[in-house]
Amino acid sequence: MSTETTERRVRPGAPSSSSSDRNAQPAWLIVTLREVMVKAKDRGFAISTIVTLVLIVAGVVFNAYMSSRGEDFTVAVTSEAGQSVTALADEDGRADDGNTTFTAIVVESEEAALEEVRSEEADAALIRDDDGAWTLTGRNEIPRSLSAGISASLEAYMLEANAAAAGTSPEELLAGSELEESLLEGNAEDQAVADVAGFAFSFLFYMASIIFGMAIANSVVEEKQNRVVEILATAIPVRQLLYGKVLGNTILAMVQLALYGGAALLALNLTDTADLVGSIIPASGWFMVFFLFGFLILASMWAVLGSLASRPEDLTSSSTPVMALIFAALGAGLFASGQLLVVASYVPVVSSVAMPIRMLNSEVALWEPILSLVIALGAAAALLHLGEKIYRRAVMQGGGALSLRKAMKLEQ
């Protein structure tokens, strides 16, 4: 063997293969980064994300606009009593930062009042006939808020007038009729916040679970159809491929949820409608944590479904169990209450929505969400381990779609 040949084979200072392996990135991390970069560069994904962000901000702004948009009503009256009723309606409309106003136009006769309505100078005419009966007349319709405001103020005015005629006061006549409301758990304000947040959490969980879950399943099916997975399997362990796909899409889902939530909170603050945001933020943080564990479970199941399918069309019939679980979480967020909500807050995946809602509308001890997270984490680890076994067996199999039982019988 010549010296030249020896020098070609072993070069002083050249890194050995073992040193190169130690410096290489883990296979699952490479797959994770690939999943993230491919999706981030996808034009359709970027457009849908931007459109959704715009819709969220527009929805918040529109709601703020409608809330601040005042209504101004003009009422034609023929007497001081009509003026007083309209003044009471205006006082009630402005109460508690209200923005509904009532202005009285005093005319000399009933016909003059009706003419004000016909010419659209007044929205309605409030007329009292000789028998003491009141009539509110509009041109072709009477706005509901106008009718409700005048009706309530008329009742208050007549109550005071009749009480004075009877030698007493409205307070004495209504003594003992006050009704107060209370809740055994939480309060009415928290309940209103929980209803709104429950819808938002449920909808976001539903959309993210389907969009990114189907992305995992379709990616697995495409690689299986194109036999790309066989090439990848010669370079990296199959289980690393599964871990990378699950983690990559989980990261994408978390980032997208954070973008949506941040956009909504920013819009609320900019439109001065963030009165209750302080109570939503902690629950939103818990929702992100619960979503992480819940989505890991679903992502493992979606990957298994993709490995069992032979073509994208097979996913329609095989995805029923996963969709049932997603719908269960959606239903718990929208409709569950009481003891049913408590039980749901400990069920993996369903707890991703149920526990944050519980924390909004009632007092929940710290150990409860922690226990629920431990259960969800255990379920995620178990499902990922089981999913790895099925995925490793089924993803290399060609031909028709596999059932779960057939996949478990395959050799690794």
Side-chain angles (χ1 to χ4, degrees):
M1 182 181 294
S2 67
T3 304
E4 183 181 357
T5 304
T6 304
E7 289 177 352
R8 280 200 303 266
R9 289 185 177 180
V10 181
R11 294 180 182 177
S16 64
S17 60
S18 60
S19 175
S20 177
D21 291 341
R22 284 195 299 269
N23 294 330
Q25 290 181 327
W28 61 266
L29 180 58
I30 296 174
V31 178
T32 299
L33 294 176
R34 175 182 174 276
E35 289 287 324
V36 173
M37 295 305 298
V38 169
K39 200 71 173 179
K41 293 178 180 179
D42 181 59
R43 186 177 180 182
F45 175 75
I47 292 175
S48 65
T49 301
I50 293 173
V51 169
T52 304
L53 286 172
V54 171
L55 289 176
I56 289 175
V57 173
V60 174
V61 172
F62 178 75
N63 181 67
Y65 168 74
M66 294 302 295
S67 299
S68 62
R69 182 171 175 264
E71 292 184 288
D72 301 315
F73 297 116
T74 302
V75 182
V77 298
T78 59
S79 63
E80 290 186 3
Q83 281 185 278
S84 299
V85 172
T86 306
L88 283 175
D90 184 67
E91 183 179 345
D92 291 340
R94 296 174 185 268
D96 299 325
D97 297 326
N99 48 18
T100 302
T101 64
F102 293 82
T103 304
I105 299 178
V106 182
V107 295
E108 296 181 354
S109 64
E110 176 181 338
E111 184 57 38
L114 296 178
E115 185 58 35
E116 291 288 327
V117 176
R118 290 191 188 96
S119 62
E120 297 186 353
E121 294 296 325
D123 297 296
L126 181 62
I127 301 169
R128 189 180 192 182
D129 60 22
D130 296 336
D131 297 329
W134 293 85
T135 303
L136 184 66
T137 304
R139 186 170 182 269
N140 49 30
E141 67 172 350
I142 300 176
R144 184 181 299 273
S145 51
L146 168 59
S147 175
I150 293 296
S151 177
S153 61
L154 178 59
E155 289 181 3
Y157 175 80
M158 292 308 302
L159 176 64
E160 184 173 354
N162 293 335
T168 183
S169 67
E171 290 76 15
E172 291 176 343
L173 289 176
L174 295 174
S177 64
E178 297 83 1
L179 178 64
E180 295 183 357
E181 296 183 359
S182 65
L183 300 174
L184 293 177
E185 298 182 4
N187 55 60
E189 185 178 83
D190 288 345
Q191 184 61 51
V193 176
D195 291 341
V196 176
F199 175 80
F201 292 164
S202 302
F203 180 75
L204 289 174
F205 182 84
Y206 172 79
M207 293 300 297
S209 298
I210 292 180
I211 291 174
F212 290 99
M214 286 297 294
I216 295 174
N218 283 319
S219 175
V220 174
V221 173
E222 289 174 4
E223 290 178 355
K224 186 176 177 181
Q225 275 187 318
N226 300 333
R227 308 185 75 86
V228 174
V229 68
E230 298 179 13
I231 300 174
L232 293 173
T234 61
I236 61 175
V238 175
R239 67 175 180 276
Q240 300 280 334
L241 184 60
L242 171 65
Y243 296 159
K245 287 185 177 295
V246 170
L247 289 176
N249 283 275
T250 300
I251 291 172
L252 287 167
M254 295 291 291
V255 170
Q256 197 173 66
L257 280 182
L259 284 175
Y260 293 161
L265 292 177
L266 179 61
L268 286 170
N269 280 283
L270 292 177
T271 54
D272 295 326
T273 56
D275 300 337
L276 303 176
V277 168
S279 60
I280 296 178
I281 290 178
S284 299
W286 280 105
F287 171 67
M288 294 294 290
V289 177
F290 274 96
F291 175 83
L292 172 61
F293 294 155
F295 186 79
L296 283 174
I297 296 174
L298 292 174
S300 302
M301 299 175 70
W302 280 115
V304 169
L305 291 178
S307 67
L308 295 175
S310 62
R311 53 181 184 166
E313 290 79 5
D314 295 334
L315 294 173
T316 304
S317 58
S318 62
S319 61
T320 302
V322 183
M323 292 301 300
L325 196 55
I326 295 174
F327 277 118
L330 179 65
L334 296 178
F335 307 113
S337 60
Q339 195 61 34
L340 179 60
L341 185 62
V342 174
V343 173
S345 65
Y346 292 100
V347 178
V349 177
V350 181
S351 62
S352 300
V353 177
M355 182 59 81
I357 294 176
R358 272 192 65 201
M359 300 177 73
L360 272 174
N361 61 13
S362 64
E363 293 293 330
V364 177
L366 182 60
W367 65 265
E368 294 191 66
I370 293 177
L371 175 60
S372 182
L373 281 175
V374 170
I375 295 173
L377 180 59
L383 261 294
L384 192 60
H385 180 67
L386 177 62
E388 173 201 330
K389 291 184 176 181
I390 301 172
Y391 183 87
R392 197 165 59 239
R393 289 174 168 91
V395 75
M396 303 295 289
Q397 299 296 318
L402 295 172
S403 66
L404 185 60
R405 180 178 299 179
K406 289 182 179 179
M408 291 299 293
K409 292 180 179 180
L410 294 173
E411 294 183 3
Q412 297 189 33

